[in-house]
Amino acid sequence: MIVNSTLSYFILSAYIHVGTVRYLYFTLTALLYIVIVFVNLLLIVVICMNRSLHEPMYMFLCSLFVNELYGSSGLFPFLLTQILSDIHTVPASLCYLQVFCVYTYGNVEFTNLAVMSYDRYLAICCPLQYHTRMTLNKVVIFIASIWLYSFVKFLITLSLNIRLPLCGNIINSLYCHNYLIVKLACSDIEVNNIYGIFGVILTILVPLLPILFSYMKIFHVCFSGSKQTRQKAVSTCTPHLASLLNFSFGCCFEILQSRFDASAVPSELRIILSLYFLIIQPLLNPVMYGLQMSTIRKACIQLFCSKMVTDCRDNL
């Protein structure tokens, strides 16, 4: 087999020929992307403009919504281009860029949710010490660390993978997938596998520990506390738990599908589930937090009302 160390493009083989229906898929995908951008951008603007929302919890939410925009932008423009294309090829440089965006998005998402669980632990279990233990300076440090940690960790993975000589260029996916590219390598990938396992531990176990610790403490307070404490815990933790479980489900399927043979699963279902964590999560989070949290909901209503009043005055 010939080793191609200067591969210029990859072929994505998971796309199904749908003929003229592609235009319907393109329209639906574009509308979905517009909705995701709108709702996430709206909540970012609401949090930034409303001084009453300049609290740690909302700053972490703002970071989460920025990440939804980042992850969606790493997928949707690429996906829209491929839907209209007859030949599903992608330049190698663009493919590696997408791999970087998708994987850093996943890492930032999980780590951000972990920090948010710790924030909820402090708010529910240590309410009197909350503002001294979770200051705005600490919030900035947390958010900066989340993004820096995620970027640096995957830059190491990407630098190891880019140098691999490849024997093929066909990726059985709708988008560029890190492990599927590594599987095309002709050389020894032991170092990549070792660091890959180490990376998975860092990506999953490091965020998982504060999540488990926080919710063990929160559940203990809920079961032993008053009805008011339980109601507060439920109202603030329900969106976070739903987001965490939804994202974990999407990631688990994508990891299992890339590592094991999923040919027994219908191709349409594989396509939907492979895109699940990159489509549903950016849509679910802003809708869920916007509807569930009364403070954000009221701030959105105030923003729209003030805009309408301003427009009426301008027309008069």
Side-chain angles (χ1 to χ4, degrees):
M1 188 175 289
I2 298 173
V3 176
N4 188 349
S5 58
T6 58
L7 196 67
S8 60
Y9 67 93
F10 291 99
I11 299 172
L12 302 172
S13 64
Y15 283 89
I16 302 172
H17 180 68
V18 291
T20 55
V21 183
R22 73 176 71 177
Y23 299 107
L24 174 62
Y25 289 157
F26 176 86
T27 304
L28 294 175
T29 305
L31 287 174
L32 185 60
Y33 182 43
I34 291 169
V35 170
I36 288 173
V37 170
F38 175 76
V39 293
N40 281 283
L41 201 57
L42 171 66
L43 293 184
I44 291 169
V45 170
V46 166
I47 291 172
C48 291
M49 291 183 62
N50 197 316
R51 290 185 176 274
S52 65
L53 298 181
H54 292 179
E55 295 289 334
M57 177 174 63
Y58 302 108
M59 294 295 102
F60 291 130
L61 277 177
C62 192
S63 172
L64 196 68
F65 298 145
V66 169
N67 190 47
E68 308 303 358
L69 288 177
Y70 170 67
S72 300
S73 298
L75 172 70
F76 276 94
F78 176 88
L79 196 60
L80 289 168
T81 303
Q82 292 297 323
I83 288 174
L84 292 180
S85 177
D86 291 321
I87 303 173
H88 304 291
T89 61
V90 53
S93 57
L94 183 59
C95 196
Y96 284 118
L97 177 62
Q98 186 181 45
V99 167
F100 179 80
C101 290
V102 169
Y103 280 78
T104 50
Y105 157 75
N107 205 102
V108 169
E109 188 83 4
F110 202 25
T111 312
N112 206 125
L113 289 170
V115 174
M116 287 173 67
S117 69
Y118 176 68
D119 174 73
R120 292 301 80 210
Y121 153 70
L122 291 179
I124 295 169
C125 301
C126 313
L128 299 179
Q129 305 171 30
Y130 178 73
H131 289 290
T132 57
R133 295 176 65 175
M134 188 60 77
T135 63
L136 285 178
N137 286 337
K138 289 182 179 179
V139 170
V140 172
I141 292 172
F142 271 127
I143 293 174
S145 299
I146 288 169
W147 286 82
L148 184 62
Y149 161 75
S150 302
F151 276 53
V152 170
K153 185 176 76 65
F154 194 73
L155 272 175
I156 299 172
T157 302
L158 197 60
S159 64
L160 290 172
N161 296 346
I162 287 176
R163 297 188 299 176
L164 288 173
L166 304 177
C167 293
N169 64 346
I170 299 176
I171 302 174
N172 186 25
S173 177
L174 294 177
Y175 60 92
C176 296
H177 197 293
N178 180 61
Y179 185 70
L180 295 180
I181 294 176
V182 173
K183 285 170 70 174
L184 297 173
C186 295
S187 62
D188 183 22
I189 58 172
E190 184 178 357
V191 174
N192 299 74
N193 285 333
I194 291 173
Y195 184 76
I197 295 171
F198 180 66
V200 169
I201 292 172
L202 287 178
T203 302
I204 296 176
L205 287 185
V206 171
L208 192 61
L209 291 176
I211 290 172
L212 292 176
F213 169 80
S214 299
Y215 275 101
M216 283 174 60
K217 295 291 186 180
I218 290 171
F219 290 146
H220 176 72
V221 169
C222 287
F223 289 125
S224 61
S226 62
K227 183 179 179 181
Q228 184 179 4
T229 302
R230 286 195 295 272
Q231 289 176 340
K232 178 184 177 182
V234 169
S235 64
T236 59
C237 292
T238 298
H240 180 265
L241 272 174
S243 176
L244 183 63
L245 292 173
N246 179 72
F247 186 69
S248 299
F249 167 77
C251 288
C252 281
F253 180 82
E254 184 59 9
I255 291 170
L256 291 174
Q257 181 180 237
S258 64
R259 299 274 173 171
F260 303 101
D261 182 19
S263 57
V265 181
S267 57
E268 292 82 2
L269 183 59
R270 287 205 311 269
I271 288 172
I272 293 170
L273 291 176
S274 67
L275 296 173
Y276 185 91
F277 81 107
L278 286 164
I279 292 179
I280 302 301
Q281 189 75 1
L283 186 62
L284 177 70
N285 275 343
V287 172
M288 187 169 51
Y289 281 107
L291 293 175
Q292 182 72 19
M293 302 186 73
S294 59
T295 48
I296 294 181
R297 191 167 62 248
K298 290 176 183 177
C300 290
I301 294 171
Q302 288 175 357
L303 180 65
F304 280 115
C305 289
S306 62
K307 176 63 176 172
M308 291 174 62
V309 170
T310 303
D311 289 342
C312 289
R313 286 176 179 173
D314 291 342
N315 291 330
L316 293 173

